[in-house]
């Protein structure tokens, strides 16, 4: 019974950790690695807005993590080799399905087309909705070469 509780606890902790891997970033949220880095800043005018859905890229990581943790937790069920094997298989299947479902979540996003003062046009996709901007808004576009943000 003690092994069963331990396996269930391991599964719960593992799935919680896997869910925590999906970070969210908004125009006003910065990762620790971005703090103190120089960013180029350009001004521009919003020329187009489109609501989009942002989904996680790493579905296989959540599925694999869930399957591994489910297999470990499931192997503690039962009192014999066959029961442990059956529990491991069932746990792996259930954990993989749970991990896949968790990594499939989507967030609201907006694609903002900006005509920069330099005459160049860019499109930036970020979390948020088209309600946060209007065509014609003056905006600031900042980039560190990897991450680009549009703010008013």
């Amino acid at each position: 019974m003690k092994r069963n509780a331990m396996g269930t606890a391991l599964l719960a902790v593992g799935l919680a950790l896997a869910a925590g891997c999906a970070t969210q970033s908004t125009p006003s949220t910065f990762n620790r690695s971005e703090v103190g880095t120089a960013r180029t800043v350009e001004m521009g005018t919003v020329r187009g807005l489109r609501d989009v859905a942002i989904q996680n890229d790493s579905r296989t990581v959540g599925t694999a993590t869930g399957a591994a943790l489910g297999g470990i937790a499931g192997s503690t069920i039962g009192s014999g080799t066959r029961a442990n094997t059956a529990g491991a298989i069932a746990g792996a299947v259930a954990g993989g399905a749970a991990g896949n479902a968790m990594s499939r979540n989507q967030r609201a996003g907006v694609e903002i087309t900006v005509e920069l003062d330099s005459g160049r046009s860019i499109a930036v996709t970020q979390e948020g909705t088209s309600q946060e901007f209007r065509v014609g808004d003056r905006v600031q576009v900042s980039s560190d070469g990897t991450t680009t943000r549009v703010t008013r």
Side-chain angles (χ1 to χ4, degrees):
M1 188 59 98
K2 214 178 216 185
R3 285 180 68 188
N4 189 17
M6 184 182 213
T8 302
L10 272 174
L11 176 63
V13 168
L15 290 176
L17 287 173
C21 291
T23 61
Q24 296 185 1
S25 67
T26 66
S28 59
T29 303
F30 289 82
N31 293 322
R32 184 180 258 324
S33 62
E34 295 175 291
V35 175
T37 60
R39 302 175 70 81
T40 60
V41 178
E42 296 183 65
M43 298 302 293
T45 304
V46 174
R47 294 297 179 214
L49 298 164
R50 181 171 68 111
D51 287 313
V52 298
I54 300 172
Q55 65 184 17
N56 291 337
D57 290 331
S58 57
R59 289 186 185 184
T60 53
V61 172
T63 303
T65 302
L69 292 170
I72 292 167
S75 69
T76 64
I77 296 172
S79 59
T81 304
R82 283 186 181 169
N84 288 355
T85 302
I89 293 169
V93 170
N100 187 19
M102 285 188 341
S103 66
R104 237 190 277 157
N105 66 348
Q106 293 185 349
R107 297 179 307 278
V110 59
E111 181 184 68
I112 308 160
T113 303
V114 179
E115 182 181 325
L116 299 172
D117 289 351
S118 65
R120 191 169 61 104
S121 291
I122 62 168
V124 177
T125 304
Q126 62 189 35
E127 286 193 28
T129 68
S130 60
Q131 303 303 310
E132 298 170 31
F133 298 92
R134 289 187 313 268
V135 172
D137 279 352
R138 290 288 293 163
V139 292
Q140 174 178 298
V141 179
S142 64
S143 178
D144 64 2
T146 304
T147 303
T148 303
R149 293 182 169 89
V150 177
T151 55
R152 292 194 311 159

